[in-house]
Amino acid sequence: MPDSAKAKPHIKPSKLKTDMAVDLIGVNKWYGDFHVLRDINLKVKGGERIVICGPSGSGKSTMIRCINRLEEHQQGQIIVDGVELTNDLKKIDEVRREVGMVFQHFNLFPHLTVLENCTLAPLWVRKIPKREAEEIAMYYLTRVKIPDQALKYPGQLSGGQQQRVAIARALCMSPKIMLFDEPTSALDPEMVKEVLDTMVGLADDGMTMLCVTHEMGFARQVADLIIFMDAGQIIESNVPEEFFNHPQHERTKLFLSQILH
Amino acid sequence: MTMSEGDLAVMELRFVRAAMLESQPPPAGMRGAVGWLRENLLSTPFNITLTILIGLLFAWIVPDLIRFLLIDAVWSGADRDACRELVQNRTVGACWPFVFERWPYFVYGSYPLSERWRVDVFFVMLAIGVVWMLWLHAPRRGLGAIYFFAVVPITAFILLTGWRAIGLEPVDTVLWGGILVTIVVAWVGIVVSLPLGILLALGRRSPMPAVRLFSITFIEFVRGVPLVTVLFMASVMLPLFVPEQYSPDKLLRALVGIALFASAYMAEVVRAGLQAIPKGQFEGAMAVGLGYSQMMRLIILPQALKITIPNIVNTYIGLFKDTTLVFIVGIFDFLHTVEVSRIDPKWASPVTSTTGYAVAAIFYLIFCYAMSRYARATEARLGLSDRR
């Protein structure tokens, strides 16, 4: 195991090539006959933090999963840092290399150690030498405060630790954009904070982030913009202050009254 | 001051722990041999009954088996008279001299006597390869894989079939037989069926309709036909369509038939494993930027193959025993050589057949049990990362 890297290894800070990190223009998506995303328009500039909330089934997960093409959209344009997502596999790979994702259920690779989980993509996708990949992995594992778990298997960690590994794994690819799909919903209450703290740290570093979450405290603290979705469409978007204090749409008011006690 | 009943109830509800409880060792009956017996053999009345029944079954079979194979067995003799009760005037068990005399035939079939060293070299090479691949702490396992999958097959082919240019007399495969054939057929089947099965399984799940259709057609067609039919088609029907001089060797045709047959079964085994991998693993792999082949090779297949080890080995064991079916197209595998020998008039006696079959049973049991044990050990080793 490499020493838990104290000094930051030569990690190239990845900058966006364009001003616009994510641009969704008139995006529509159907599951069979079911219209899940309806005319979604969303622009995310570099360094912006977007929090997306809404009732379950509102299409918020589907929307961010379209951004790295885990889901396919049928109409409209999705442009990620100047690359439009189409059926072109090269473009899809290009986007996925630059976009990190953290899932509700972690999706760590159970047959690999924590360290291997983190070095896998840099080794095989970025073709970084093993030593360097391990240095980078240890740097990020230190950052999410679990360098001492590097040689364990994911199954031996707690949920909160696993989710932090998942964040470190995504960061090891030095992504320009991070997507979070309900990262704390599957965690025990006591572990939510450690994951949120990690995310706040990331936001402070200026990472472009799109988070689907119901952690309203987190939203208030870091979001530049909050988006409320229902029935496959964006109902309301506003800065946190306004969103929480003066919601406009009836549906938003109802939603907020349900979750803020 | 007296307490009313209401006060008492409140008192009982309130509780604050003063001292934390230390962890205690389990009661004595749970540990050691007694604990093991109690838990595994005598836990319920049903379990006790089973234990007794199985004990009786062993008591019934094992003594007879030992008596036949060892105590009453004949160990030396020149022909059938040694193994006949009428001649020997005693109870006669296994007729081992028959096996001793016929053993070279069981191993090599009719492979020319002067060339049998070539078969021995092949066995040794294969054994080295198998140990190199299966022994986890063996040095240079990467080299071992090249040796096992490239060096051994090519050398074995040249060695066994012969090559005049380097002074090895060609040996027609018609002369091959016994354990040699069984090992060759099983080995080719085992080595070919896993990669081919994986490809077919991936093909069956492919989003490309042409690939999927081909895989499904192949798998369903091959699975829908008995192995005996596949062998018959390979050895009887193929020559009808292909001119004699281009028609491949009989053993080769059987090899191809068995390998394809096993691949179809393996494909379904692997597919079951792929099916069991949660969608999140695919998404996790895609999200970090892995391409399809990397995702399959690094993330999905290692997990899918791990959970299918019992089924893969099951298929291998089935395949190993199915190799005996090649006798139907006139190839002398191990069982067939036993079969031919036991009706040899020189050794005709009431115990000859039983002895021959006992040898065959022991042979197949050793190989199949070894596979089974190795698979268990692998499962246990890979179980480390099981706790999700």
Side-chain angles (χ1 to χ4, degrees):
Chain A
M1 182 167 115
D3 305 325
S4 52
K6 278 168 208 91
K8 189 166 178 165
H10 23 278
I11 298 166
K12 294 161 215 106
S14 27
K15 287 237 174 67
L16 290 159
K17 285 179 286 183
T18 61
D19 292 343
M20 197 60 76
V22 179
D23 197 355
L24 282 77
I25 305 160
V27 172
N28 280 282
K29 175 174 173 60
W30 288 264
Y31 285 131
D33 287 337
F34 181 55
H35 198 173
V36 262
L37 291 181
R38 307 180 190 179
D39 191 34
I40 303 284
N41 288 286
L42 175 67
K43 291 189 191 307
V44 183
K45 293 204 191 71
E48 271 190 329
R49 277 89 61 169
I50 313 288
V51 164
I52 302 145
C53 58
S56 59
S58 60
K60 49 197 193 306
S61 286
T62 309
M63 185 181 83
I64 72 161
R65 287 158 57 87
C66 281
I67 295 172
N68 65 351
R69 196 68 168 190
L70 289 184
E71 304 280 354
E72 207 173 307
H73 62 286
Q74 279 91 35
Q75 261 179 26
Q77 281 182 296
I78 299 179
I79 301 165
V80 181
D81 194 22
V83 179
E84 180 171 359
L85 282 168
T86 57
N87 283 326
D88 187 346
L89 289 176
K90 277 208 179 104
K91 294 270 171 65
I92 294 173
D93 284 344
E94 197 182 330
V95 166
R96 283 180 182 161
R97 275 200 295 274
E98 309 303 333
V99 178
M101 186 161 200
V102 175
F103 299 87
Q104 182 177 2
H105 295 290
F106 329 136
N107 296 356
L108 292 175
F109 308 131
H111 63 302
L112 302 177
T113 62
V114 165
L115 186 64
E116 288 165 341
N117 262 279
C118 293
T119 55
L120 185 91
L123 281 175
W124 292 92
V125 180
R126 289 237 189 269
K127 317 275 186 210
I128 290 175
K130 192 169 179 211
R131 271 200 73 103
E132 200 181 319
E134 284 182 349
E135 267 176 40
I136 295 173
M138 288 314 295
Y139 169 76
Y140 283 114
L141 286 173
T142 309
R143 204 177 138 172
V144 299
K145 302 194 177 67
I146 35 175
D148 45 328
Q149 313 284 354
L151 297 185
K152 289 193 183 167
Y153 285 94
Q156 295 167 292
L157 307 186
S158 73
Q161 289 173 325
Q162 290 192 45
Q163 193 60 298
R164 284 184 283 150
V165 172
I167 295 174
R169 177 177 77 179
L171 292 178
C172 283
M173 284 291 282
S174 358
K176 296 166 179 169
I177 300 162
M178 283 287 287
L179 307 175
F180 293 85
D181 188 1
E182 306 207 31
T184 57
S185 326
L187 296 179
D188 287 347
E190 283 181 307
M191 295 166 181
V192 170
K193 189 173 177 298
E194 61 189 49
V195 171
L196 288 181
D197 285 348
T198 310
M199 290 167 64
V200 170
L202 208 54
D204 290 342
D205 282 2
M207 174 67 77
T208 310
M209 293 163 69
L210 283 92
C211 314
V212 173
T213 182
H214 293 131
E215 296 296 334
M216 288 304 145
F218 170 79
R220 249 184 229 278
Q221 194 181 341
V222 306
D224 295 309
L225 187 72
I226 299 188
I227 287 175
F228 175 71
M229 287 181 73
D230 188 24
Q233 45 218 305
I234 295 176
I235 302 289
E236 189 166 344
S237 68
N238 212 333
V239 294
E241 181 81 359
E242 290 294 306
F243 180 82
F244 288 113
N245 298 339
H246 308 290
Q248 304 295 312
H249 198 282
E250 284 309 311
R251 188 64 188 88
T252 317
K253 287 177 190 166
L254 179 66
F255 180 76
L256 287 176
S257 73
Q258 303 285 351
I259 62 163
L260 303 172
H261 328 281
Chain B
M1 201 171 125
T2 56
M3 278 197 289
S4 69
E5 270 180 32
D7 286 335
L8 252 177
V10 170
M11 289 270 305
E12 279 163 5
L13 283 173
R14 282 190 198 140
F15 172 77
V16 177
R17 180 164 300 287
M20 300 298 277
L21 299 178
E22 291 301 321
S23 158
Q24 303 283 331
M30 265 176 71
R31 287 178 297 175
V34 181
W36 186 87
L37 277 178
R38 209 189 263 179
E39 189 172 328
N40 291 289
L41 298 181
L42 310 167
S43 58
T44 61
F46 178 67
N47 203 343
I48 294 171
T49 319
L50 270 187
T51 305
I52 293 171
L53 281 179
I54 291 171
L56 287 175
L57 191 71
F58 274 116
W60 181 44
I61 292 175
V62 174
D64 279 354
L65 205 61
I66 291 175
R67 198 171 306 129
F68 179 82
L69 291 178
L70 302 173
I71 299 171
D72 289 344
V74 177
W75 296 94
S76 59
D79 57 19
R80 62 196 287 254
D81 285 344
C83 302
R84 293 170 70 204
E85 285 186 26
L86 287 174
V87 178
Q88 299 296 320
N89 282 321
R90 68 172 181 104
T91 324
V92 170
C95 184
W96 293 118
F98 155 70
V99 177
F100 297 150
E101 193 196 285
R102 282 308 188 130
W103 185 249
Y105 181 61
F106 291 170
V107 176
Y108 307 101
S110 309
Y111 211 87
L113 264 176
S114 59
E115 305 296 322
R116 285 184 179 176
W117 61 270
R118 282 152 63 174
V119 179
D120 294 333
V121 172
F122 163 67
F123 283 151
V124 171
M125 281 182 71
L126 188 62
I128 291 172
V130 168
V131 171
W132 203 346
M133 288 303 290
L134 299 188
W135 181 35
L136 295 172
H137 304 292
R140 312 288 302 271
R141 293 187 74 217
L143 204 64
I146 297 174
Y147 172 80
F148 189 73
F149 289 105
V151 177
V152 177
I154 295 169
T155 326
F157 180 75
I158 294 172
L159 201 60
L160 294 176
T161 55
W163 187 11
R164 272 230 176 72
I166 55 169
L168 291 172
E169 269 309 296
V171 178
D172 196 312
T173 53
V174 172
L175 300 174
W176 298 21
I179 291 175
L180 168 64
V181 160
T182 296
I183 297 277
V184 165
V185 174
W187 177 52
V188 169
I190 284 171
V191 170
V192 171
S193 67
L194 187 59
L196 208 56
I198 290 172
L199 286 179
L200 284 167
L202 292 177
R204 191 163 187 171
R205 289 168 53 97
S206 163
M208 286 175 276
V211 175
R212 197 169 54 228
L213 187 68
F214 172 80
S215 301
I216 293 177
T217 313
F218 179 86
I219 293 169
E220 295 304 339
F221 178 74
V222 174
R223 281 202 311 166
V225 176
L227 179 55
V228 173
T229 316
V230 172
L231 289 172
F232 259 130
M233 274 164 47
S235 64
V236 179
M237 287 176 65
L238 197 67
L240 294 181
F241 302 118
V242 183
E244 186 64 39
Q245 63 268 34
Y246 300 122
S247 173
D249 178 83
K250 185 163 78 175
L251 181 65
L252 182 66
R253 276 176 276 156
L255 280 179
V256 171
I258 285 206
L260 293 183
F261 188 80
S263 304
Y265 278 87
M266 195 56 80
E268 286 302 280
V269 167
V270 173
R271 189 171 69 94
L274 291 175
Q275 221 84 296
I277 303 300
K279 212 168 138 244
Q281 289 296 308
F282 292 86
E283 291 177 350
M286 286 191 276
V288 291
L290 297 180
Y292 176 82
S293 69
Q294 289 174 332
M295 169 173 81
M296 284 301 169
R297 198 157 40 90
L298 301 168
I299 305 299
I300 306 302
L301 282 174
Q303 296 183 62
L305 293 182
K306 186 182 91 178
I307 53 178
T308 44
I309 286 174
N311 294 333
I312 290 176
V313 173
N314 196 27
T315 309
Y316 277 171
I317 289 175
L319 169 68
F320 187 75
K321 293 181 297 181
D322 276 353
T323 58
T324 52
L325 287 174
V326 296
F327 89 90
I328 223 157
V329 292
I331 295 170
F332 285 75
D333 76 304
F334 175 62
L335 189 61
H336 201 180
T337 57
V338 173
E339 190 66 26
V340 170
S341 303
R342 79 179 177 87
I343 51 175
D344 179 357
K346 185 186 173 193
W347 287 100
S349 81
V351 290
T352 307
S353 295
T354 323
T355 309
Y357 288 138
V359 169
I362 293 167
F363 170 80
Y364 286 105
L365 187 67
I366 287 172
F367 274 83
C368 295
Y369 190 66
M371 285 193 250
S372 160
R373 288 307 304 172
Y374 185 79
R376 277 297 304 143
T378 312
E379 275 175 60
R381 180 170 61 84
L382 296 177
L384 237 188
S385 58
D386 246 0
R387 290 153 287 174
R388 271 175 207 264

